[in-house]
Structures are given as structure tokens and as C-alpha cells.
Amino acid sequence: MFHWLEKNPFFFAVGVFVVIAFAGLIEIVPNFAQASRPVIGTAPYSTLELAGRHVYIKNSCNACHSQLIRPFKSETDRYGHYSLSGEYAYDRPFLWGSKRTGPDLHRVGNYRTTDWHENHMKDPAAVVPGSIMPAYKWMFTNKADINTAYAEQLTVAQYFSVPYNKPVPMKDGSTKTVKMGASVAEANALALEQAKEIAADMKDQDVKDAVAAGEIPEIVALIAYMNSLK
Amino acid sequence: MDIAQLQAYGYFALTVFLTLALYGYIYHLYSKKKDSDGHDYEEYSNMALHDDISDTPVNAISDDKEK
Amino acid sequence: MENRPLEYDYTVAKMFMLTTVLLGFVGMLIGVILAFELAFPSINTVLGEGLAEYTNFSRLRPLHTDAVIFGFTLSGIFATWYYVGQRVLKVSMAESGFLMFIGKLHFWLYLVGVVAVVVSLFMGITTSKEYAEFEWPIDIAIVVVWVLFGISMFGLIGMRREKSLYISVWYYIATFLGIAMLYLFNNMEVPTMLAASPAGETGFGAWYHSVSMYAGTNDALVQWWYGHNAVAFGFTVPIVAMIYYFLPKESGQAIYSYKLSLLSFWGLMFVYLWAGGHHLLYSTVPDWMQTMGSIFSVVLILPSWGSAINMLLTMKGEWQQVAASPLIKFMVLGSTFYMFSTLEGPIQAIKSVNAIAHFTDWIVGHVHDGVLGWVGFMIMAALYHMAPRVFKREIYSKKLMASQFWMQTLGVVLYFTSMWIAGITQGMMWRAHDEFGNLAYSFIDTVTVLHPYYTIRGVGGLLYLIGFVMFAYNIYKTMTAGRKVEESELQNASPMGA
């Protein structure tokens, strides 16, 4: 029986496939039904936040920063409450990272402000002496891609029932509705509205001017995303 | 029966099966030492050692291979 | 056709040898730049502020991993397949015009894919998933390349003269199937170009963008099932295929126990796939999966060592060959590093060890003793063995090969020892509390302390890179200036010039 397998490439390949696919079938597939319910207080990303998330991915921030607080005292002391599965319900892709060259960012919105990020992204070592993080000055001039973020919102709302324009429950018992535009123009207007709030807390005159002129630099979107991580 | 239970039974049954198959294989290899064509398994190392195109195959695909 | 005796045809193997050397150099060069960027951050803007976007650490990091995995290693796998495959099946690619065409198409499409990957990653077009950064258009191209590889492989197997499949062929088949399954499932994504707004607009936003089919914890689970097994089927399985052919052939010794090689194969296939969970210890995936990942990682020592010990025992009674031939040195040290990193991996997968090691440089060190010491050494040894047979010339310089060996060995040792110290130091500092129960160190304290180790690591990487340049030079000279040799000199040990 065994020898037959060794000289019949087709059935050999089938055998190998069964053996290697087994783990995936048992381990991964059945878990899909249950693991993706959001916890209370988790809302989908707004258009600007999603555009900021794209900036985060574009620059591979996840190569050096994790977004996963493990349930150890040393981590909860440093970063806040340990991460819960439901908090990631709207994260496509997940951004846990695999290396902490810099600190974890899963709850960075709780303890860093807009102007802290602004100064830090321009010159990290000036804010944190000894920092080895490179500066990200081009984010102050590159424009955020709002249209792609909007296309992504529409896609996840359609295929994965992400609750845009619907009330989601918050921790204090209230509800929050994350708005999604009905057209590209409206989506851009919504993003700009949120961008103006961010820019009001910033000092860089070029960024302020750009936002006033209706343009959104990448840094504004990125900060919106950072502030949403709580 | 919910999916978690199916998962558990499936896991258990397949693991037992694969373990039996593996130990059966080990027993076969070391008790028979030869495969059903009568080749000692260790002869197959020669597939690498004598691999010129003019060398004789260890286990030729058919007798009329040389036309 | 003239009435010439049939010969193996290495046209496609040669093409892939070229990309192995080329992309290996690119991947390692970027790696060395990255290493020094961590030690000396001013290197991030080495080409000026204007180009900083393209030279900084975060933009280059995926290029490094992908150039080494999908450039260097994959080219090496293809090159050796188009060499080993013909020989152990005793059939020449010259016998089939169709397979020759597929082989060449495979190479050229692969090259197009490589260019697309390099351009897109420089532009920052990435899905962020490690070793699966490519957006859907490139994913489709990769699937096509992979199918061509499959046609090549099974086409050759289909016309073989040797009925039984040599153990290396088993491993190549497993590589093909494993990567195919993993890649397809991990890259399930929905292109956003299909979106239509309620106002009826379509086709806005970046056409190449997509969103992952899985969210959050599920996405992580699939990604590390992929990520870990991409290592299995890219860095372990095909490299084992290589050593099972090249070590016996070069040394003239039969495999110590062919039966053991068959057992280890099935063991490895079954166990490896379960171990992915060890990347997610203490995360939000269910506990039983984490435990399963830990346990299977430890069990994995058995089949891994089955192969490694088999290789070392193949040299039993023939150790003078190790002293005499730098080529055999590469392979013997390669299998030693394989044993070493397959022991280190399971240790890191134990939950309490992982609590310290995870997110630190120790993991980076582990990957590199595997890739530099095992994968890199084995692929270079394979190319050294192939060169005289493919070019019909002797290896240009044995001395150069020997100095390369020692230089790279020193490089690897510097690399992993510095990363051990860096990783454990940082892991311990993160969790240190003072007498009142407060954190003892701020985060930046745990970064600045690493500077010396990052510098040593950079030097280790640089030594390895210099060794690789010596390798490339040696191969180039073999191709152009080596002494021509007769078929009879190519039976076992490769002919080498002084």
C-alpha cells in the first residue's frame, strides 16, 4: 500500500495535501463563525481615520509597532487594558505586528495628543531623546487618499455588514453613529470636516493652509487614526 | 451537535488515524525493509548517486524504455 | 535532429541561478542598510531628505524580507528543481519542447512579478501582511507563476524513466502544494474597485487596493498559519530537498538511512502546519490554539532532527571530506544550523519563554540563524555544486570559497549572539518593576540600551554580505574563466581551482 503511494505522483500529492490541510481545517475554519463580534464601544472607522490607517500601512508602521497588549501586569501598566478580540472586529487587515522596535500603539489615543504626534512625526528624537525612529516629513506634504478609503468603506459595508450610518452601542450606554457619505463628494466633505478639527490643534502653517483650502495632508489622516486607537 | 464538538471528534479521529498510519508505515519500513517490487529501500539512495542520463534507473518505468 | 547522445538541458536552471545571485545580493544589501539604520538612524536619510520616503526603515523592511524569501530563496528553489528534477527522474528537458517553453515562460513571468513587487513596495503599496504584502493584481500574477511551476514539475514527473520518486522530489512536491494552499487562503481579499456609491459613482480610489476577507483575530490566525508555514514550505521543505540530493552527490555517500528520510517527511508534513499558533501566544486567539501551537512546536523537533541527523550521519566515516572541501563545509554547517534553529524555535514557542521573547530581537535572531546559516549556506552550496556541471568548467577558486565560508560563519555568529542578548535584555527590561511595583524603565531606556548590539548585528550582516559578493564573483569567474572539465571529473566531488 505504501509503495503504491511512493510511485504514483498524483495520489502521493493528494496524500500530502490531506496531511497538510488537516491542521487548517480543524484549527481555523470552525473558529470563523464565532470570533468576530465587536465588543461594546467599538465603532467602525470614519473615512478620514480609514485613510489614516492606509497611511499607517503604506509606511509599514506595523513593522516596528505592535497593536496587541498582552495580559501581563508590565504591559497593562505601560499601555492600558489588555487587548480584547472584539476590539479588532473592524480591522481589515489586523495590525498586531510582530516586533516592538517602538512601543505598542493599541491604545495610543488615550495618552498622546494631536500636537504630540505632529512634533513627533516631524522629528522623533526632539520629542523622545535617543529615539531611533526616522522622521516622516513627507506626510506633511503628501495628500491622503480619501477616495480609496471611501471605496473601502462601501466595500466593507456591502460585503461584511460593517454598521455605517447605524447606531452602535458605546460603553456609557449611549450610541454612536459613524457616518459614511452617499457620494464621493459627500465622503470628501465628511473627511474634511474631521480634518479641520485635527488641524485646529496643529501648529504647522502649511498643513493648516492646505486643510483650509480643502486638501488633506497624510499627517492629518494619520493623526485622526492614532487618536481613534483607544 | 455543534461545530466545536464536530471539530473535536474530527480532530481526534483523524489524529488517531494518522498516528496509526505513521506507525504502520514505520513497522512496514523496518520489518519488510523492501518494497513490494522487491527493492531494498536503501537502494533508492542510488537515484541521486547514479543520476547520469545514461545510468540505469533503480526502478525503471517500463522495460521498453530505451527505444 | 542530429544523432547526439541525450544530455540534460540546464537552460532554465541557469536563468534561475542568475536571479538567485542577483536577488540574493539585493535582499542582503537592503538587510545590511536596515541593520545600520537601527544602529545609526541618520542613515534613514542617506540619500537626502527628498528621497527619505524611499530609504527609510519602514519602507525598506518589506522589501528586505520579500527579496530574500521570494527573490533569493524561491529562485534557488526553482534553479535547483530544474537541475535536480531532471537528474533524479532521468529525463531531459530537451526531450519536450512543451516543457522547455513552460520553463522559460515560468522564468520570464517570474521576473515580471519581481519587478512589479519591487516597484509597488517602494511606492508603499502593501497589504501589511508579512510575506504576503502584495496587492491582488500581483497575487494573481504569482498564482500564474506558481501554476507554471506546477506544470513544469508534474510534466517532468509524467515523462520520467525512474518509476520511484526520489525523496527530494517528495519535498519539491510538498513545497508546491503547501505554498499553493497557504498563499491562496491567506490572500483572500475583495478589490475595492468594485465599490459603487449610493449616488451611482463607480471606479474611484486606487484600482489596486483591496480589503482582507478576514477581520481582526481571524485575520491574525490565518496570517500566522500562513506566515509560519511560508517558513515551513519556503525555508525548510525545499531546502531539505536540496540537501538530500546535493550532500550525497557531492560526498559520494549514500544517505545514511533512506527509510528515516521517508519517515521524517511524513512527520514534518503533519506536524509543521499546527505550529503557527506560537506566533499568537497571549494574544486574543482561543487558548487551546495557543497551547496546541506550543505543543506541536516542541513535537516538531523530532521530524526536523530526523532529517538533520540523517544528513550528518551520511558523513559518517567521511569527515576528512569536511576538512578538505569547503563545499561540504557549507552543507554540514548548514545542517548543524538547521538543528540549532529547530531547537531554538520550539524553545521560543514555550509560553513562558515566549512571554519574554515575543516582539523582541531574539525572534529576529532566530529567523536569521535559520536563513543565513541554513537556507543561505545550502543554496550557495547547491549553486557551487551545479556551476561546474552546468557550465562545464571547474569552480574558479577553492581558496576564495574557503575564506567566504569562514567570513560568513563569523557573520552569522555575530548576528545571532548579538540578537540573543538584545532580545533577552529588552524583554527583561520591559517587565522589570521597582520595589514599589512601578515599571522600572521607560520604553526609550529599553531602546537606547540596544545600540551596541544593533551595531554588532550590522557588522555581522555586512560580513555575510561581503561573503555573498565573493560567492557571486566566484560563480561569475567559474562561468567565464574556469578551466574546462570533462564529464568524467563531474561524478562526485566538484572540481575546484586553487
Side-chain angles (χ1 to χ4, degrees):
Chain A
M1 173 191 120
F2 295 113
H3 186 55
W4 173 78
L5 210 59
E6 284 154 17
K7 52 188 183 184
N8 280 284
F10 175 75
F11 291 103
F12 172 79
V14 171
V16 172
F17 188 77
V18 168
V19 173
I20 60 181
F22 176 41
L25 279 174
I26 297 296
E27 212 170 17
I28 295 179
V29 176
N31 200 46
F32 267 58
Q34 16 174 303
S36 43
R37 270 170 304 162
V39 294
I40 288 176
T42 304
Y45 296 106
S46 74
T47 318
L48 187 66
E49 287 158 10
L50 206 52
R53 201 166 189 271
H54 292 165
V55 176
Y56 187 96
I57 290 171
K58 181 179 170 190
N59 291 286
S60 294
C61 301
N62 53 296
C64 292
H65 294 280
S66 57
Q67 287 190 24
L68 177 74
I69 303 167
R70 296 179 294 169
F72 307 145
K73 182 172 186 301
S74 57
E75 302 223 343
T76 53
D77 279 2
R78 201 183 292 278
Y79 306 115
H81 194 284
Y82 57 83
S83 303
L84 303 172
S85 184
E87 293 177 293
Y88 300 111
Y90 304 120
D91 279 13
R92 290 172 195 270
F94 78 113
L95 291 173
W96 294 1
S98 58
K99 177 74 174 64
R100 248 180 219 161
T101 306
D104 189 274
L105 299 178
H106 192 211
R107 305 194 192 287
V108 70
N110 285 336
Y111 48 88
R112 296 287 185 234
T113 57
T114 299
D115 73 324
W116 188 93
H117 285 302
E118 183 188 6
N119 294 329
H120 186 249
M121 296 303 286
K122 241 182 207 169
D123 187 1
V127 179
V128 183
S131 172
I132 58 170
M133 177 168 148
Y136 287 82
K137 290 182 182 142
W138 59 88
M139 285 184 189
F140 290 77
T141 46
N142 284 2
K143 297 293 171 281
D145 187 351
I146 303 297
N147 286 2
T148 303
Y150 178 51
E152 182 170 324
Q153 282 185 306
L154 289 165
T155 308
V156 294
Q158 185 187 345
Y159 291 99
F160 308 117
S161 313
V162 172
Y164 283 111
N165 297 326
K166 288 174 192 153
V168 292
M170 301 310 284
K171 278 178 194 143
D172 58 6
S174 65
T175 60
K176 178 180 175 183
T177 304
V178 179
K179 277 191 278 184
M180 176 173 71
S183 66
V184 175
E186 198 191 324
N188 275 279
L190 281 170
L192 189 63
E193 198 181 307
Q194 194 183 359
K196 281 180 176 156
E197 291 167 24
I198 305 276
D201 292 335
M202 293 179 69
K203 293 190 198 71
D204 189 297
Q205 200 52 47
D206 293 337
V207 170
K208 283 173 173 295
D209 290 347
V211 174
E215 290 182 324
I216 305 174
E218 285 184 336
I219 185 73
V220 178
L222 183 73
I223 292 176
Y225 172 59
M226 292 298 196
N227 290 344
S228 78
L229 292 172
K230 283 179 177 169
Chain B
M1 195 150 61
D2 66 358
I3 189 134
Q5 240 177 318
L6 274 176
Q7 191 177 0
Y9 282 118
Y11 167 71
F12 187 74
L14 250 169
T15 306
V16 167
F17 170 74
L18 287 172
T19 310
L20 288 177
L22 181 66
Y23 279 91
Y25 190 47
I26 295 175
Y27 180 75
H28 159 78
L29 282 178
Y30 284 89
S31 62
K32 295 278 190 322
K33 295 199 166 61
K34 288 181 185 350
D35 62 28
S36 51
D37 290 350
H39 288 280
D40 188 314
Y41 274 100
E42 300 304 329
E43 278 175 38
Y44 288 116
S45 294
N46 291 330
M47 284 193 268
L49 293 176
H50 304 294
D51 61 348
D52 273 338
I53 201 142
S54 48
D55 286 335
T56 321
V58 173
N59 192 2
I61 200 121
S62 64
D63 293 331
D64 56 328
K65 64 186 182 354
E66 303 287 49
K67 292 201 176 86
Chain C
M1 278 282 283
E2 296 170 56
N3 199 8
R4 277 188 308 158
L6 190 59
E7 278 189 17
Y8 293 124
D9 191 319
Y10 299 128
T11 318
V12 184
K14 276 184 213 168
M15 290 167 149
F16 279 112
M17 282 169 81
L18 176 77
T19 50
T20 310
V21 175
L22 199 71
L23 295 168
F25 174 72
V26 172
M28 291 173 201
L29 176 69
I30 297 177
V32 171
I33 295 173
L34 291 173
F36 281 107
E37 282 180 347
L38 286 176
F40 306 101
S42 59
I43 297 174
N44 278 294
T45 53
V46 69
L47 297 181
E49 290 285 348
L51 288 173
E53 181 172 357
Y54 307 103
T55 58
N56 92 49
F57 182 91
S58 62
R59 199 59 74 82
L60 288 180
R61 150 70 215 249
L63 266 167
H64 166 61
T65 48
D66 287 334
V68 171
I69 299 172
F70 297 108
F72 173 66
T73 309
L74 206 51
S75 285
I77 295 168
F78 293 153
T80 54
W81 164 255
Y82 282 108
Y83 177 89
V84 176
Q86 296 184 65
R87 299 193 66 109
V88 297
L89 299 168
K90 291 201 176 61
V91 57
S92 168
M93 281 185 76
E95 292 175 70
S96 164
F98 171 72
L99 283 185
M100 199 55 148
F101 169 74
I102 292 287
K104 285 179 181 164
L105 188 65
H106 176 202
F107 174 78
W108 288 111
L109 268 181
Y110 169 78
L111 208 60
V112 170
V114 167
V115 172
V117 163
V118 170
V119 171
S120 71
L121 289 182
F122 262 120
M123 288 168 68
I125 299 169
T126 159
T127 63
S128 90
K129 292 188 181 181
E130 283 182 74
Y131 333 125
E133 283 93 350
F134 324 118
E135 278 292 2
W136 64 270
I138 299 180
D139 285 338
I140 292 173
I142 290 175
V143 170
V144 173
V145 168
W146 205 252
V147 169
L148 288 174
F149 176 44
I151 296 176
S152 262
M153 182 183 286
F154 286 99
L156 210 56
I157 291 174
M159 51 189 265
R160 71 197 188 278
R161 294 200 173 78
E162 180 72 83
K163 198 173 191 179
S164 295
L165 302 175
Y166 185 60
I167 184 70
S168 293
V169 179
W170 292 28
Y171 278 99
Y172 280 114
I173 291 177
T175 303
F176 171 74
L177 290 172
I179 301 259
M181 172 184 80
L182 296 161
Y183 199 85
L184 280 178
F185 279 99
N186 190 41
N187 284 286
M188 289 293 169
E189 50 211 8
V190 187
T192 57
M193 68 186 291
L194 304 172
S197 73
E201 296 144 311
T202 52
F204 47 89
W207 62 274
Y208 47 76
H209 185 70
S210 66
V211 50
S212 172
M213 201 90 105
Y214 322 114
T217 303
N218 283 341
D219 202 28
L221 201 55
V222 179
Q223 159 62 25
W224 285 113
W225 172 73
Y226 167 82
H228 177 74
N229 295 307
V231 174
F233 289 95
F235 284 163
T236 303
V237 172
I239 314 297
V240 173
M242 289 178 205
I243 199 160
Y244 269 130
Y245 173 81
F246 288 105
L247 186 63
K249 186 70 186 168
E250 178 72 23
S251 66
Q253 299 300 305
I255 295 177
Y256 171 70
S257 165
Y258 195 80
K259 292 192 270 292
L260 179 58
S261 72
L262 303 183
L263 285 182
S264 311
F265 173 83
W266 289 109
L268 196 74
M269 287 306 113
F270 176 66
V271 177
Y272 223 127
L273 273 288
W274 293 90
H278 67 219
H279 287 262
L280 300 166
L281 299 182
Y282 296 109
S283 76
T284 63
V285 308
D287 272 352
W288 71 270
M289 284 183 197
Q290 301 184 17
T291 308
M292 193 87 98
S294 265
I295 293 171
F296 272 95
S297 301
V298 176
V299 177
L300 196 49
I301 296 176
L302 291 171
S304 307
W305 279 42
S307 295
I309 287 176
N310 210 354
M311 280 303 107
L312 293 178
L313 285 177
T314 297
M315 296 309 294
K316 199 170 75 171
E318 290 290 326
W319 290 98
Q320 80 281 0
Q321 288 202 33
V322 182
S325 162
L327 218 171
I328 296 210
K329 278 197 190 80
F330 272 111
M331 291 196 269
V332 167
L333 195 71
S335 21
T336 314
F337 267 116
Y338 179 51
M339 287 181 83
F340 168 60
S341 58
T342 49
L343 180 64
E344 188 187 21
I347 290 174
Q348 290 178 333
I350 296 167
K351 279 184 114 175
S352 52
V353 178
N354 192 269
I356 290 187
H358 195 51
F359 289 136
T360 72
D361 284 300
W362 189 9
I363 308 293
V364 180
H366 168 61
V367 174
H368 283 84
D369 51 55
V371 176
L372 297 175
W374 157 240
V375 179
F377 274 18
M378 189 55 228
I379 291 180
M380 288 188 295
L383 262 60
Y384 269 136
H385 176 91
M386 286 158 69
R389 285 141 183 103
V390 166
F391 302 120
K392 302 275 181 276
R393 288 167 186 271
E394 82 180 354
I395 295 173
Y396 176 67
S397 167
K398 183 180 176 181
K399 256 188 214 142
L400 194 62
M401 202 201 283
S403 20
Q404 175 205 343
F405 172 81
W406 290 111
M407 181 174 272
Q408 291 192 314
T409 303
L410 179 64
V412 182
V413 171
L414 285 179
Y415 196 111
F416 71 76
T417 46
S418 61
M419 288 299 95
W420 278 354
I421 305 175
I424 294 172
T425 304
Q426 197 175 32
M428 295 304 278
M429 283 175 85
W430 282 345
R431 61 156 65 170
H433 283 82
D434 66 12
E435 60 197 295
F436 307 109
N438 300 314
L439 290 171
Y441 301 100
S442 68
F443 193 89
I444 191 65
D445 295 336
T446 72
V447 175
T448 47
V449 72
L450 300 181
H451 175 75
Y453 311 115
Y454 279 163
T455 312
I456 297 172
R457 183 257 298 266
V459 171
L462 186 62
L463 286 176
Y464 198 91
L465 177 69
I466 294 172
F468 195 80
V469 174
M470 290 159 78
F471 161 72
Y473 176 77
N474 212 347
I475 293 282
Y476 171 74
K477 289 301 261 186
T478 302
M479 212 165 99
T480 53
R483 179 180 62 88
K484 298 220 171 177
V485 292
E486 293 301 316
E487 198 63 40
S488 58
E489 295 179 64
L490 298 171
Q491 205 37 247
N492 291 122
S494 304
M496 298 174 200

